[in-house]
Amino acid sequence: MQVTPLIWLITIAVTILFFVYEFFAHVRKPHEPSIAESARWSAFYIGLALLFGVGIGTVSGWTFGGEYFAGYLTEKALSIDNLFVFLIVMAGFAVPKKYQQKVLMIGIIIALILRGGFIAVGAALIANFSWVFYIFGALLLVLAYRQAFSNHESNPADGKFMTLVRRVLPVTDEYHQDKLTVMQGGKRFITPMLLTIIAIGFVDLIFAVDSIPAIYGLTNEAYIVFTANAFALMGLRQLFFLIGGLLERLVYLAQGLAVILAFIGVKLVFHALHVNELPFINDGQPLLWVPEIPIWLSLLFIAGTIVVATVASLLKTRGDENKDDHGQIHGKPVTTAGPHDRDEDPDKTFTANISK
């Protein structure tokens, strides 16, 4: 796939312009997006991503087009999984709904920047060291195991990293609109708003560890890796408000993602063996008998797994609701409600969180 520096510059510039437009058109003025607004923009970004994939297939061939679609589906599914943790972070810091857009927007930008760095490092490693596929494959298999048994119940707001941040930085006990810092008594304090953004940024860094190796298991093209990630993150803010209530129903999404990560991990190990250069494996010679999993099979497997996980989740939660209707008690779901949607005082809520 031939991608000139000019195409890279245009792609990056257009991506930046989209986020700048998003900020000034939707995020600059604090408000809670309506379902209709979130649905329109979610559909727009998903449609744009699909159109871009068709363009890659038409211009560069459908092998690359298939790699893009497989990568986009994987990154989109992982991004939706990220929303679970964003949901917990928002609740942990009691972020008012009208300010959640700004937190998400900045968090998504941080995610794209971090992933950009990982993409560049990954591309350099792959170009110079074929054995890195062994490492990526093993990493994904470990992450698949952890993903399968994750319950999303741990709150990053109460983690060791955020505890350290609170000890190092002076933090106010209440929100000051959407300001990140305020002056109090002649001293500069950071607000819970900035603390939430720091937490989101830390979460993004953790998620990039499984996101980038996963897509490099589907394509070696850095351009496809970047654009698939960019389109997966575009519209994520609107998707948060659109499917916030649905997230709690996707009870098998983590297991579905675990299956996808494990599949890509095996695919990477197979590829590593097929191009092997390590002297202690087959005397440094490639194992050509090891099969290479074709991209069309990867695309079908990823799409099928997402569909099965989604349908199974909805059937499971519907069954649980029917049991509830017959008097059985079901766990209380996490909601995106901000402090103003609760009976408790928002300042007391955050003060309680800070004291942990």
Side-chain angles (χ1 to χ4, degrees):
M1 185 178 184
Q2 297 296 322
V3 182
T4 65
L6 179 60
I7 293 176
W8 268 107
L9 288 174
I10 292 173
T11 302
I12 294 173
V14 171
T15 302
I16 293 173
L17 286 175
F18 266 113
F19 282 109
V20 170
Y21 171 78
E22 280 268 291
F23 178 79
F24 284 100
H26 302 290
V27 179
R28 190 178 184 184
K29 182 180 179 181
H31 73 285
E32 180 186 351
S34 66
I35 295 296
E37 176 186 343
S38 299
R40 284 196 306 270
W41 283 101
S42 294
F44 170 77
Y45 281 118
I46 291 174
L48 194 64
L50 296 178
L51 186 63
F52 184 82
V54 172
I56 287 183
T58 303
V59 174
S60 300
W62 286 104
T63 296
F64 293 120
E67 291 177 358
Y68 167 82
F69 281 116
Y72 173 73
L73 277 177
T74 301
E75 295 301 320
K76 197 66 175 179
L78 288 169
S79 295
I80 292 174
D81 189 52
N82 294 4
L83 292 182
F84 277 104
V85 183
F86 290 171
L87 191 69
I88 295 172
V89 171
M90 296 286 191
F93 285 104
V95 181
K97 280 189 175 182
K98 64 180 180 179
Y99 301 143
Q100 289 180 2
Q101 282 205 100
K102 186 172 183 178
V103 173
L104 286 168
M105 184 70 180
I106 296 175
I108 289 168
I109 292 173
I110 292 173
L112 187 59
I113 293 172
L114 290 174
R115 292 186 189 191
F118 275 79
I119 289 168
V121 172
L125 288 174
I126 288 172
N128 294 282
F129 308 104
S130 64
W131 50 260
V132 77
F133 288 111
Y134 285 111
I135 297 177
F136 282 1
L139 176 62
L140 286 180
L141 291 173
V142 172
L143 291 172
Y145 176 82
R146 294 180 59 185
Q147 180 76 26
F149 298 101
S150 67
N151 54 21
H152 295 290
E153 290 180 357
S154 60
N155 190 346
D158 300 327
K160 294 180 180 179
F161 176 74
M162 291 311 300
T163 300
L164 176 63
V165 171
R166 292 188 185 105
R167 288 176 180 174
V168 174
L169 300 175
V171 185
T172 63
D173 291 338
E174 66 282 330
Y175 285 87
H176 294 263
Q177 299 178 344
D178 61 345
K179 294 180 180 178
L180 303 183
T181 64
V182 292
M183 290 293 294
Q184 290 186 345
K187 185 178 179 180
R188 177 69 63 177
F189 284 80
I190 71 170
T191 68
M193 191 77 170
L194 180 55
L195 207 60
T196 307
I197 291 171
I198 293 173
I200 293 287
F202 180 71
V203 169
D204 286 333
L205 177 62
I206 300 301
F207 278 126
V209 174
D210 60 6
S211 173
I212 301 307
I215 192 169
Y216 267 123
L218 299 169
T219 179
N220 292 338
E221 296 292 335
Y223 185 77
I224 291 178
V225 174
F226 175 79
T227 52
N229 270 275
F231 278 113
L233 291 173
M234 285 182 184
L236 193 62
R237 176 182 60 81
Q238 293 89 344
L239 202 60
F240 177 86
F241 293 99
L242 180 63
I243 67 172
L246 181 62
L247 285 175
E248 66 197 36
R249 299 174 64 91
L250 299 178
V251 293
Y252 293 131
L253 178 61
Q255 287 72 24
L257 289 174
V259 172
I260 292 173
L261 291 177
F263 172 81
I264 298 175
V266 171
K267 184 177 186 296
L268 275 170
V269 172
F270 281 3
H271 179 70
L273 292 169
H274 196 79
V275 298
N276 176 65
E277 294 178 349
L278 294 180
F280 53 85
I281 297 178
N282 197 37
D283 295 326
Q285 299 300 312
L287 284 78
L288 299 179
W289 57 267
V290 176
E292 289 268 36
I293 299 176
I295 193 62
W296 64 264
L297 180 58
S298 299
L299 181 57
L300 288 176
F301 184 88
I302 292 167
T305 303
I306 293 172
V307 170
V308 170
T310 302
V311 172
S313 296
L314 296 179
L315 291 175
K316 173 68 165 58
T317 51
R318 180 177 295 179
D320 289 341
E321 288 173 356
N322 291 335
K323 290 180 181 179
D324 290 342
D325 292 339
H326 289 84
Q328 296 190 24
I329 299 175
H330 188 55
K332 183 180 179 181
V334 178
T335 68
T336 55
H340 298 296
D341 302 299
R342 306 170 184 169
D343 294 332
E344 56 203 65
D345 188 300
D347 294 346
K348 293 180 180 178
T349 300
F350 183 75
T351 302
N353 288 331
I354 268 216
S355 65
K356 293 182 181 178

